[in-house]
Amino acid sequence: MNLVVNSSDFETELERVVSEASRKQAIWEREIEEMKRKNFATICVHGAYTPGEALRNNNGSIIEPVYSSSAQAFENTYWLEGALSYKIPAWVYSRIANPTIGYLELLIAMLESYRQPFNASALCTSSGMSAIKTATEPLLINLKNEGTGEKNFVSMAQCYGGTFQLFNERYGKERGIEVRWVKDPADAGEWEENIDENTRFVYGEMPSNPRQVIFDLERVAKIAHAHGTPLIVDSTIATPALMRPLEHGADIVIHSLTKSITASGRVVGGAIVSRQNIVWENAPDKEMRHDFASWVKLWPARDAGPCMSAEGAAHCLDSIKTLRMRMDSMSRTTMAVAEFLETHKMIENVDYLGLENHSLHSLAKKYLKLVDSDENCYGQILGFTIKGGLENTRSVFNKLNLIMRATDLGRIKSLATIPSVSTHYQQGEEGRRLAKVPANMIRLSVGAEDARDIIDELDNALKAIH
Ligand SMILES: *Cc1c(COP(=O)(O)O)cnc(C)c1O
């Protein structure tokens, strides 16, 4: 059996195709660099899908084509071998990469590193939860000579219900990894007390869902980095139009693309975005630290297969084209709704970071701004509690007519849920106490309807109880 595969003729031919591919790639990279110098709204519309890219590789299609194809065919063995050994840029097989998803990944990376001196890269996944699992798992691997019970991770307690379950049940109870919960994330001292040299990652959600909790990202990043550990921030609710955590020191950003980024509601998807050279002192090799998202894409995600579909990516791409204007307009509408609720006599409390009496308002002002403006914008999610407890809350909720009852958010349509009996039900009372989710809270995700119609709707529903 002859196992030697390479000869010098082969090497020459391979070199030729590699150099042809890199010449083509360099042209595209120059176009992308030029696009990065444009303003945010322009990047949202075009991203990496430049006119040159359209003409060279996509028959001039004015919009990113949907590559509904499992795999890529090659001209000859040299192209195929070069692609499979990652020597030439190629997509090969849609579990690993796909051109439509690739355009989305490049676009998200461009938005998250907007106007920054460093590069970022992104990996899209089948859901927000798979993004969280795919990003955190490599950070929890067993290091050489490590005994059991030596590692921990630190997370704020008020995170998304699914994230809480992943951390508490799957990692904590099933795998025995120590989870350290930060109960008051606005207190930087509590993060500091919990993080040590065995902390594998630090995790925050900003603003959190549903309680709009935020923390001083810059300070927490410094604390994490002083211990050589990366900070991961789920910024699904803010979207890059309102906040870009990498510029404040985060190493990895998580998105559920299912939410505001793809407001249509046609897609479940997620993204992991990393800055170049994340802080990760114990990284088993340099490449993992240098370009974390690409490394995850080419190795662990290739082997596990949490990939997005090309159709899903196309819907996200369509939606991101209007991201900035949507977040701008919906934030204004949400503010008007919050101001209305605040004055209503049957409302106990309104949780919206934009309200001046919110305890985290001044911190929110520092971090949540409409990109390319000096204007503060606080997004489309708010919570409010109803006087008279859960039964009254259910009555108001049942009267909603235009606003759909759904455990969903970030839509072009307004949606509402009662978290204590839906998204946060499984966590039990103790979990809800940690997450600070009161029984009588309605979470409202404000859409792009006219603010007057949403306010009328809420006014009518509140008539159910007075
Ligand atoms: C919905 C959500 C997730 C999970 O995303 P899926 O796409 O539903 O898996 C994670 N984080 C936040 C903040 C979310 O709102």
Side-chain angles (χ1 to χ4, degrees), residues 161-180:
T163 310
F164 184 89
Q165 293 290 107
L166 171 70
F167 288 176
N168 203 51
E169 302 296 317
R170 309 281 92 78
Y171 287 167
K173 293 185 187 155
E174 289 177 5
R175 295 200 201 167
I177 303 167
E178 187 187 349
V179 194
R180 296 183 180 170

Side-chain angles (χ1 to χ4, degrees), residues 126-132 159-163 203 205-209 234-237 254-259 267-270 407-409 443:
S126 55
S127 69
M129 283 319 304
S130 81
I132 297 168
C159 49
Y160 175 71
T163 310
Y203 194 95
E205 193 176 306
M206 193 162 149
S208 73
N209 166 18
D234 178 337
S235 102
T236 297
I237 305 290
I254 298 288
H255 282 293
S256 166
L257 300 178
T258 318
K259 310 292 170 54
V267 180
V268 174
T407 57
D408 192 15
L409 54 88
R443 179 188 73 197

Side-chain angles (χ1 to χ4, degrees), residues 255-329:
H255 282 293
S256 166
L257 300 178
T258 318
K259 310 292 170 54
S260 307
I261 285 188
T262 312
S264 65
R266 290 195 195 281
V267 180
V268 174
I272 302 167
V273 192
S274 65
R275 69 190 287 150
Q276 220 166 20
N277 295 319
I278 63 166
V279 172
W280 182 9
E281 215 165 87
N282 296 327
D285 84 57
K286 226 173 68 211
E287 191 47 39
M288 295 161 79
R289 191 168 58 210
H290 176 65
D291 185 349
F292 181 76
S294 303
W295 175 81
V296 169
K297 183 180 168 74
L298 294 183
W299 307 101
R302 179 200 66 180
D303 301 338
C307 53
M308 188 179 221
S309 71
E311 293 79 2
H315 285 301
C316 295
L317 282 161
D318 286 351
S319 205
I320 293 180
K321 292 179 178 27
T322 56
L323 180 65
R324 185 182 183 279
M325 63 177 97
R326 263 192 290 122
M327 293 311 288
D328 180 10
S329 152

